[in-house]
Amino acid sequence: MFSLRMRASVGGRHVSGAERIIPKKDIPLVVEQLSKRAASHENGIPDTIHITIEKITGAIQYIPALPLTSIRIKSHIQAKGLAVGALIHSGIPDTVARSALELLQKGPAPDGGNMRGAIIMNCENKKRLEPDSFRGVRVTRMDMSPRAVETLRKELSTLKLDKRIEVIREALTLASKVANFKTIAELCISDNPSNHVGYVASKKLGFLRMPNLKKTGASAGGRVFFVRTGINLHEYINYLEHATVVVDQISGVRTVSAITTQPSVCSTMECLLNIQTDCQDKNAKKKRKSNHRKSHQS
Ligand code: AMP
């Protein structure tokens, strides 16, 4: 198997990236797909496209995806409250969760710009641990197996989210790899101006995708990986950058609707508990209909 990584930049600024773990025979096709994608990215026309192809020599870890929940949420304030609630539920203290969210919203690099990689944050004292705070740590050498992609595509199409398959596939793969080793939780806000979606992921919570976590048009975004004091940072970064991980199983995909009556008070788990599952709604409707029928028959 081979690791194939693409990154595109303009004037030294990163505009897009993607990666795959593929058999040798697929290399020409995937090079074509990813170079087309690089050349047409909304972040700008690149002046440089790097494609790296490496034979994988070590072991490949196969892991299941985190269960995916996509929340229907309209209010930006409520989405922020929900993200904080989801982080608290995952074990991150309230003040740390809020600081991380603010950091991503104002631009997480020391000059207020975006980073190419992620922040590593001690969840007990907010301390940033990534060796280079301009660049951050980049998770690489990961992919989703073709069969898992197909399952994901089918499940997303029943939820009318299949147009977002590429972005969701890549985010879910990254989050599942990150959650698999010593990460208490992850917070992500896209840095694409036209993408206002973000997510919170953790082993405890799964992958919670939420629209409106960013104001549309804003370009600040990033990722925070929360870890505990005493983590072996060298081992952790080595896993993120070098362990080869393939997500080969989808663990469920669902949408839920957030109740929007109290948009500003989602500071804790209240908000998560206030969620109605759409399929629960449907089951409840079915039950009501059948009870209604029964009462008419009797
Ligand atoms: P995106 O989800 O591609 O919009 O990326 C949002 C932010 O996540 C970027 O601004 C980076 O800071 C960070 N990021 C993107 N890709 C990676 C990666 N492979 N590893 C770590 N952080 C990343």
Side-chain angles (χ1 to χ4, degrees), residues 14 19 108 114-119 135 137-140 142 167 171 174 188-192 195 199 221-223 225:
H14 175 82
E19 67 171 281
N114 287 335
M115 297 161 69
R116 276 200 53 223
I119 294 169
R135 178 183 181 273
V137 171
R138 290 219 25 113
V139 187
T140 62
M142 65 201 155
V167 184
L174 187 150
C188 170
I189 301 181
S190 172
D191 60 9
N192 276 359
N195 185 0
Y199 68 81
R223 278 184 161 87
F225 303 153

Side-chain angles (χ1 to χ4, degrees), residues 1 55 86 105 126 129 135 137 140 144 153 162 173 183 229 232 252 284 290:
M1 296 292 272
K55 190 169 167 49
Q105 285 176 324
K126 298 188 209 171
L129 304 173
R135 178 183 181 273
V137 171
T140 62
M144 187 175 275
R153 190 188 306 280
D162 42 327
T173 302
T183 312
T229 305
N232 180 333
S290 116

Side-chain angles (χ1 to χ4, degrees), residues 140-184:
T140 62
R141 295 176 175 79
M142 65 201 155
D143 200 356
M144 187 175 275
S145 71
R147 197 191 292 179
V149 174
E150 264 329 290
T151 308
L152 182 65
R153 190 188 306 280
K154 278 188 197 137
E155 299 219 12
L156 289 177
S157 78
T158 64
L159 304 174
K160 301 200 167 52
L161 278 173
D162 42 327
K163 281 197 187 124
R164 310 289 301 160
I165 174 83
E166 276 311 309
V167 184
I168 294 178
R169 164 208 177 145
E170 285 171 9
L172 184 59
T173 302
L174 187 150
S176 302
K177 176 175 175 182
V178 171
N180 185 51
F181 189 70
K182 300 202 173 175
T183 312
I184 311 303

